[in-house]
Amino acid sequence: MKLVGISGTIVGSKTRIIVNKVLDQVKKLDPSIEIELLDLKEYNVQFCDGRDPSTYEGDTKKVIETMNSADLFLIGTPIFQSSLSGALKNLIDLTPVETFKNKVMGFVATGGTDQHYLVIENQLKPIAGYFHAYVAPSYVYAQNDHFNSQNEVIDEELLNRIQNLAKELVFMQNALKS
């Protein structure tokens, strides 16, 4: 079983930090789960232009193959202008619809303030519904006050939400398998 965690941005570090924290908790809960982090900052992904995904090459092809190899997903995005990142939207557009069908998805988002936590409810969860994915009931939203000046998570409630999301992902995936 493979969990692909996505840091869906090409700037900043907080989204990756939170995605990694959830992935670490998943690994503690179930060491048999293969974990792969897909950090979009590390790839030169082409814009989706509507062609067959199998015709892309280079980093774009590698990213699509990584997505296709997943049994479940942890999707992270910073919130820009009250929406998910363009890089993440592009990745979703590049990924074949059947890649997400009947798979578990969890969500992480980061923002400057508490004002944008509903982007997960109003944008990301409906996208997952379109793909017929199974969505973890809880999610993690982190904002600047949850980190210290070295970008370390200092908020205990946030750490509890990270652990809870990891538990839900493992539970849902194991239930789906059986």
Side-chain angles (χ1 to χ4, degrees):
M1 175 174 25
K2 182 176 180 180
L3 166 59
V4 171
I6 301 160
S7 178
T9 183
I10 57 173
V11 298
S13 60
K14 288 182 174 112
T15 300
R16 181 185 175 134
I17 290 166
I18 300 298
V19 168
N20 268 326
K21 287 206 165 290
V22 176
L23 294 176
D24 290 345
Q25 287 297 313
V26 166
K27 197 64 171 173
K28 286 179 187 175
L29 292 166
D30 189 342
S32 71
I33 296 176
E34 179 186 348
I35 304 285
E36 183 170 352
L37 175 67
L38 183 60
D39 186 348
L40 294 183
K41 192 184 298 184
E42 297 175 357
Y43 298 91
N44 182 17
V45 179
Q46 295 172 269
F47 285 112
C48 179
D49 58 16
R51 73 177 115 148
D52 184 328
S54 67
T55 64
Y56 286 95
E57 298 176 351
D59 281 354
T60 307
K61 180 178 182 167
K62 183 175 182 181
V63 166
I64 293 169
E65 288 171 350
T66 299
M67 295 295 287
N68 288 334
S69 72
D71 297 300
L72 69 154
F73 296 93
L74 173 64
I75 299 175
T77 183
I79 305 304
F80 297 129
Q81 306 294 345
S82 300
S83 189
L84 63 149
S85 73
L88 178 60
K89 178 63 170 94
N90 187 55
L91 175 65
I92 291 168
D93 289 344
L94 286 165
T95 305
V97 173
E98 60 273 7
T99 299
F100 297 111
K101 188 173 184 177
N102 297 325
K103 294 188 181 173
V104 175
M105 275 188 186
F107 293 109
V108 167
T110 56
T113 68
D114 280 333
Q115 295 173 331
H116 298 298
Y117 74 95
L118 285 175
V119 169
I120 295 171
E121 290 288 344
N122 295 328
Q123 293 179 25
L124 295 173
K125 285 185 174 183
I127 290 169
Y130 170 78
F131 289 123
H132 301 281
Y134 300 107
V135 179
S138 61
Y139 52 82
V140 174
Y141 179 80
Q143 49 101 338
N144 289 340
D145 291 341
H146 294 143
F147 297 86
N148 65 17
S149 59
Q150 289 80 40
N151 277 342
E152 298 166 326
V153 175
I154 57 170
D155 186 87
E156 286 301 317
E157 179 56 33
L158 177 62
L159 293 170
N160 289 335
R161 289 194 309 269
I162 287 168
Q163 189 170 41
N164 190 53
L165 177 57
K167 287 178 184 175
E168 287 178 2
L169 290 171
V170 171
F171 174 79
M172 290 177 70
Q173 183 61 30
N174 286 334
L176 191 60
K177 270 186 0 183
S178 58

